[in-house]
Amino acid sequence: MNMPTRAYEITCSADLARLIEAVAATRDREAFTALFDYYAPRIKAVLMRSNMPAAAAEELAQEAMLTVWRKAEQFDRARAGASAWIFTIARNLRIDVARREQRSKLFDLESNEFLDAPPQPDEELDASERERRVRAALSHLTDDQLKVVRLSFFEGQAHGDIARELKIPLGTVKSRIRLAMNRLKDCLGDLT
């Protein structure tokens, strides 16, 4: 198989797919370099258009390409083209960053002074009642639903990570979460 070299001009998506396959098959550094040179600036540009600072966009582009290196054997040209596969990796990393930033903002809010005030008795009673009702509602979930809800909402894992950890399809994870949320909504009604 003739692999494009760094000086090789990539002319079609088949060239890109072959490069990923070469990385998967033999850890071909030259093929990876060609992929990196082609995709890293494009990923960075897309991320910057979504208002990400240049330094953060560059770091995320590099992280995406490292993921391509590590997971090249998962690429299947029958399921997605090279660009779609690589940009999906970048998008998922961007979502993970956004989630971490959101969690960080929540933790910052918790450290504000107004949250340090002792709770009022009626607030404690309301919180206790809500907690009791949520626990009761959670008991109506199947074990499989409870497991994905716990991993997603209590541990903050991404759906793809849950699918890998539980060794189930991503669609199954999403379906279980949707069914669980519908059941909780039915049980909690006025709390949602």
Side-chain angles (χ1 to χ4, degrees):
M1 182 187 296
N2 289 336
M3 284 295 111
T5 63
R6 204 168 175 178
Y8 181 82
E9 183 177 335
I10 297 171
T11 59
C12 65
S13 61
D15 293 339
L16 296 166
R18 279 195 300 275
L19 291 171
I20 296 172
E21 290 164 349
V23 170
T26 63
R27 290 293 178 212
D28 185 325
R29 290 178 185 268
E30 206 168 276
F32 180 74
T33 299
L35 281 170
F36 190 95
D37 290 346
Y38 185 82
Y39 279 109
R42 287 167 173 78
I43 294 169
K44 179 181 175 184
V46 167
L47 293 170
M48 287 176 59
R49 281 195 299 270
S50 70
N51 294 324
M52 182 178 266
E58 185 169 344
E59 185 175 322
L60 200 62
Q62 290 177 8
E63 188 174 340
M65 294 309 298
L66 284 174
T67 302
V68 168
W69 173 262
R70 287 192 309 269
K71 296 184 177 187
E73 66 280 350
Q74 293 177 10
F75 173 69
D76 179 359
R77 72 167 68 205
R79 292 182 63 201
S83 292
W85 186 71
I86 290 174
F87 278 101
T88 298
I89 290 170
R91 180 188 61 93
N92 290 343
L93 289 171
R94 175 64 176 121
I95 290 169
D96 290 345
V97 166
R99 284 183 180 148
R100 282 192 300 267
E101 288 172 353
Q102 189 64 29
R103 273 189 233 122
S104 175
K105 287 178 186 175
L106 290 175
F107 291 134
D108 288 346
L109 282 176
E110 289 175 357
S111 67
N112 285 340
E113 292 175 20
F114 68 89
L115 291 176
D116 291 336
Q120 298 298 314
D122 60 333
E123 291 172 352
E124 285 183 355
L125 185 60
D126 287 345
S128 175
E129 176 63 16
R130 274 194 307 274
E131 181 179 344
R132 184 193 63 73
R133 287 185 61 194
V134 168
R135 286 184 189 278
L138 288 171
S139 72
H140 288 87
L141 300 179
T142 66
D143 289 340
D144 291 335
Q145 291 171 341
L146 187 59
K147 197 176 295 181
V148 295
V149 166
R150 180 182 50 80
L151 292 170
S152 180
F153 295 100
F154 299 136
E155 294 183 18
Q157 290 190 26
H159 293 172
D161 295 336
I162 295 169
R164 280 188 291 282
E165 180 175 326
L166 298 179
K167 295 177 177 55
I168 58 176
L170 178 60
T172 301
V173 170
K174 291 182 179 197
S175 177
R176 288 179 184 172
I177 288 174
R178 182 179 41 78
L179 292 170
M181 296 312 292
N182 287 339
R183 184 169 286 174
L184 291 173
K185 188 175 181 181
D186 290 344
C187 293
L188 297 172
D190 60 320
L191 280 182
T192 56

